Amino acid sequence: MEVSVRFSPELWIFLAPRDRRPEVRLPYDGTSSLGHLIESAGVPLTEIGEPVAGGRPVERSYRPGPDEVVEVPAVPRPQAVPDCRFVLDVHLGTLARRLRLVGLDTAYRNDMDDDALIAQAGAEDRVLLTQDRGILRRRSLRLGAYVRGARPDDQFLDVLDRFRPPLTPWTRCTACNGRLAPVGKAEVEDALEPGTRRSYDEFAHCLACGRIYWRGAHGGNLAAVVDRAVRAAGLRLP
């Protein structure tokens, strides 16, 4: 038995090359859920919208009939989530720093395995961002998203476009995700290099790890990253 399925073109990247066409026929045992059928084709359920079978919206638990055509749209953008809080897998460290740069609550460690990532995502109500399709198919994962793009710039824009989160640049520590707060020069000057003491007067420090920030020579490059991303994604700063 087979079922005809029409996947949105945005989902074709998850399909085998032979199935990347407007309509495919997938083997079906007659008893499994539609969600299982979609995943068997390689598409994580985190990446789909509301399926349609026989012209009507259906649940993922639905069991399609042999003569029905199933349509599977991509997840709608922007995607609504309770809080735009993220945890990233070990391969997305540069993306983590860029998300923190624009003020997004982004958990990241380079030594977390899949089980630990899923546990943190669930315990802290975070969206797990990854390019590992296998982890997105884990039943224990509540909120997850596949990050598109090979370059950090493209990945950054993809996350901003998908979730359209409110941005508050320069408010988080890019190293540890802690909150930044202004600090007087006199309070931190003993920790500064002589050139920095002479050249800069405005500083912030991380309330979690104590790291000190100032708009140094690298500030223009970071500002360009923020400005380019905001313009490209059509976002507005508060």
Side-chain angles (χ1 to χ4, degrees):
M1 179 177 173
E2 293 181 323
V3 171
S4 293
V5 183
R6 297 172 181 169
F7 288 101
S8 170
E10 293 94 329
L11 300 174
W12 288 9
I13 63 169
F14 301 109
L15 301 174
R18 66 178 182 277
D19 292 334
R20 293 172 185 172
R21 56 182 189 272
E23 185 170 316
V24 296
R25 293 190 62 80
L26 300 178
Y28 182 55
D29 60 12
T31 59
S32 296
S33 67
L34 177 57
H36 178 81
L37 179 66
I38 292 169
E39 285 191 319
S40 72
V43 180
L45 297 184
T46 59
E47 305 310 299
I48 71 168
E50 186 176 47
V52 173
R56 67 188 191 283
V58 295
E59 300 291 332
R60 298 173 185 187
S61 58
Y62 179 75
R63 291 178 172 80
D67 298 325
E68 288 182 313
V69 175
V70 175
E71 298 178 33
V72 183
V75 65
R77 294 189 176 214
Q79 180 181 358
V81 293
D83 294 295
C84 281
R85 306 172 71 233
F86 304 104
V87 58
L88 277 62
D89 77 16
V90 298
H91 303 292
L92 298 175
T94 301
L95 174 60
R97 290 189 292 274
R98 295 196 179 188
L99 293 174
R100 291 169 178 173
L101 179 65
V102 294
L104 296 174
D105 186 346
T106 304
Y108 172 79
R109 282 174 46 185
N110 62 7
D111 60 352
M112 300 276 279
D113 63 20
D114 290 356
D115 290 336
L117 287 167
I118 291 172
Q120 184 175 8
E124 300 177 6
D125 291 324
R126 295 180 182 272
V127 180
L128 174 55
L129 301 181
T130 182
Q131 292 188 321
D132 183 341
R133 305 174 192 189
I135 193 172
L136 291 176
R137 292 197 290 269
R138 296 274 290 270
R139 289 289 179 266
S140 52
L141 178 64
R142 224 166 26 87
L143 290 172
Y146 182 82
V147 178
R148 296 169 184 254
R151 299 167 55 248
D153 282 347
D154 298 330
Q155 296 166 358
F156 187 35
L157 293 178
D158 178 62
V159 174
L160 295 178
D161 178 68
R162 177 160 175 169
F163 296 101
R164 300 292 174 92
L167 304 184
T168 54
W170 321 110
T171 61
R172 285 194 179 272
C173 177
T174 56
C176 81
N177 195 45
R179 290 283 188 180
L180 298 184
V183 63
K185 184 175 181 178
E187 297 179 60
V188 297
E189 60 182 350
D190 288 345
L192 303 175
E193 295 292 334
T196 303
R197 283 200 300 269
R198 288 193 302 268
S199 303
Y200 302 100
D201 295 311
E202 295 184 2
F203 298 89
H205 70 146
C206 175
L207 297 175
C209 73
R211 187 183 180 99
I212 303 168
Y213 289 85
W214 63 94
R215 295 293 182 92
H218 62 290
N221 294 333
L222 296 178
V225 170
V226 174
D227 292 344
R228 189 163 57 246
V230 167
R231 292 196 305 270
L235 301 174
R236 293 180 179 273
L237 298 179

